[in-house]
Amino acid sequence: MLTNIPQLIYVIFVVLCLSYIYFGNWIGFQLLNELFVASVIGYAAVLAFEASVRTGWTPLVNGTWHFAIPLILGFLYFSIISRKWSWMSRYPSIIIVGVGAALSMVGSFAGDIAGQISGTWFLVYPLNTFDSWVLLLGMLLALWFFIYTVPHKGRGMTPVIMDKLADLGKAFVYCFMANKYAATVMLTYIGIITNLIAIIWIWLGIGAGSIPI
Amino acid sequence: MSGKNIDKTPWYLQKAKGTDPWFIKIQDVNVKVYISILLIVTSAVLITPVVITPEPDHLVLDVYNWIERLEPGDTVLFVEALWSYYYRLDYSVGWSIMLHVMQRSSQMKSQGLDSLKLIIVPVTADGIVQLRDFFTRCGKFIPTNLVEGEDYVVTTYLPASSATYSKIASDPWDIIKQDNKGNNVQDLPIFEYFKSGEDVSLAISEVANTLIGLWASYDSNPVDRTTCRAPIAIAHPVQLWDSASQPVGMPIYTSGQVGGLITGIRHGSMYETLLNRNYGLPLNTGYAVWIMGAWSLPCTFMILMCILGNIGAYIERQQTSKPLGGKE
């Protein structure tokens, strides 16, 4: 059963969330929506300020002068509020995007590109199982679908073999997307189960899950 | 002209609604009805759980057998990234893995051997809170012959970033200074077994690509899961992901980049089943077995409705010559 105020607030919020299904965008749901956005922004703002002071300002006043550079760059973001000076906010953005992309290249090239290419080859070779043939054909046809950018034949015209192969590749891509979408639906449903647990196990105190193991 | 109102509706549409079979009609049912059915089914199964204990598949057995193969004194690194109640359900398999390592460690210790060294590093802001939940719920199943600081430890929170992972893998003492109770690393005997990433015999991670990308630099060859251990084990962490990530994770697993892949509720329930059979732990140390029913039945209902709805739409299209592509 409910034993404290945070649990009560949690359950009220869950009920307000679920109310969207039956009552649409009514005032209770809107209130929750605004409250959520406001609290997230407020929390993030406080954390950002605290982090700036702790990791930027404090070392600076303690003598680490070069910490002034990121602080100034960060401060330039505020120039976006002025139409005249907003161009200055592009400099920190450029550095963030450039450095971020460069750093992520190190990991993503090793892990996502080189590792995947070599790993796929190790997986399909030798071609002695049905799985490895399907994988090889799927990979080649899906690549062909993306590479073959020539317009396919229109209605009433006989498609060439290349068009057919691209269509087969499209089928493999659809299989992956359908699988991914189904998995996302299942994940989302876990969120609904979580909310129902809050109501049934925690609030009403019924069901096996409400009893400690 | 006769002046009569001639009904030009095709004969097969004139009484269509009255004679439509039910699988065509279900397309017109209000979506709220479906949602209500889903909520009622889920609630019913939560009140009276349908305990589903699926047979473990090779993905779960890979990790389970890896832990069984660990030898006395081996180090297990658990980079814990639980960050909300929502994901706690999906990732509760992590609890099972921690319990498994502890149970195995206890067996070794009771035989007079050195124990396994479990080092848990929370990398999300509420990680400590979530771990406290684990110790509250599963505390009574942590063997009493294990000593915190000697056999297992929870470190302080470290922010999840590339720099953090890189440092954990290369020079952990430089970034992990204390455990979550404020004891210095130098004073904890367990850290004598973890001075570098190469000491780790099994790395478990709940974060994805960053870790793989960085740790791949330790060993770029595909992992041999039957023999993998220190010093290359840290390059091939076992990945714990949510239910939606299996399609994304499979290529990384099959290419041999990660040492194992466990995703979502289904694998969680398999792991809990294994622990129940082999170590006698209750089925509900995590959440997976209990909510497996509440998760499976509505999903089955959704799939059934998808199939029937598509059959109905196909037949209706045949009858009315509607073009492909849904509503006109």
Side-chain angles (χ1 to χ4, degrees), chain A residues 99-114, chain B residues 210 212-214 216-217:
Chain A
V99 173
L103 285 176
S104 66
M105 276 294 286
V106 178
S108 65
F109 185 80
D112 295 343
I113 301 174
Chain B
T210 314
I212 297 166
L214 280 168
S217 58

Side-chain angles (χ1 to χ4, degrees), chain A residues 62-85:
Chain A
N62 288 335
T64 319
W65 64 268
H66 61 267
F67 273 55
I69 298 169
L71 278 175
I72 291 169
L73 281 170
F75 199 73
L76 286 181
Y77 269 118
F78 287 105
S79 65
I80 206 163
I81 57 178
S82 158
R83 190 169 290 180
K84 185 179 177 184
W85 299 104

Side-chain angles (χ1 to χ4, degrees), chain B residues 128-261:
Chain B
I128 294 285
V129 178
Q130 304 290 352
L131 280 167
R132 200 175 296 147
D133 234 24
F134 162 71
F135 283 103
T136 305
R137 187 176 172 87
C138 303
K140 69 173 82 166
F141 307 111
I142 295 174
T144 50
N145 61 346
L146 298 186
V147 181
E148 188 169 3
E150 285 182 22
D151 306 307
Y152 67 93
V153 71
V154 179
T155 70
T156 47
Y157 154 68
L158 298 173
S161 71
S162 304
T164 302
Y165 301 131
S166 184
K167 209 66 177 165
I168 290 174
S170 60
D171 188 7
W173 283 44
D174 194 44
I175 192 166
I176 303 172
K177 300 290 186 188
Q178 291 181 325
D179 72 354
N180 73 323
K181 292 182 176 170
N183 301 312
N184 290 325
V185 166
Q186 292 83 352
D187 303 331
L188 297 169
I190 191 170
F191 277 95
E192 288 298 321
Y193 294 82
F194 183 42
K195 290 182 176 174
S196 137
E198 294 182 356
D199 295 333
V200 173
S201 296
L202 170 61
I204 300 156
S205 143
E206 289 168 335
V207 281
N209 294 329
T210 314
L211 207 59
I212 297 166
L214 280 168
W215 289 356
S217 58
Y218 279 72
D219 177 35
S220 56
N221 298 313
V223 64
D224 181 350
R225 296 185 180 87
T226 56
T227 59
C228 183
R229 52 182 299 112
I232 60 156
I234 196 151
H236 303 287
V238 170
Q239 289 291 308
L240 306 187
W241 273 348
D242 56 63
S243 302
S245 297
Q246 187 152 348
V248 179
M250 276 313 281
I252 302 170
Y253 173 81
T254 50
S255 67
Q257 285 173 274
V258 295
L261 180 67

Side-chain angles (χ1 to χ4, degrees), chain A residues 10 21-22 107 111 115-116 119 122-123 176 179-180 183 186-187 189-194 196-197 200-201 207-209 213, chain B residues 32 35-36 38 42-43 46-47 85-86 89-90 137 140 213 222 243-244 248 251-252 254-255 257 284 290 294-295 298:
Chain A
Y10 178 41
I21 299 168
Y22 296 100
Q116 286 288 292
F122 283 122
L123 186 67
F176 171 77
N179 190 5
K180 184 84 180 71
M186 287 192 286
L187 176 68
Y189 204 75
I190 288 172
I192 294 174
I193 292 173
T194 311
L196 288 175
I197 283 174
I200 296 169
W201 288 1
I213 53 173
Chain B
K32 289 177 183 173
I35 293 172
S36 301
L38 284 173
T42 312
S43 304
L46 283 175
I47 292 168
Y85 189 85
Y86 175 80
L89 297 182
D90 222 8
R137 187 176 172 87
K140 69 173 82 166
S243 302
V248 179
I252 302 170
T254 50
S255 67
Q257 285 173 274
N284 56 348
W290 275 18
W295 185 66

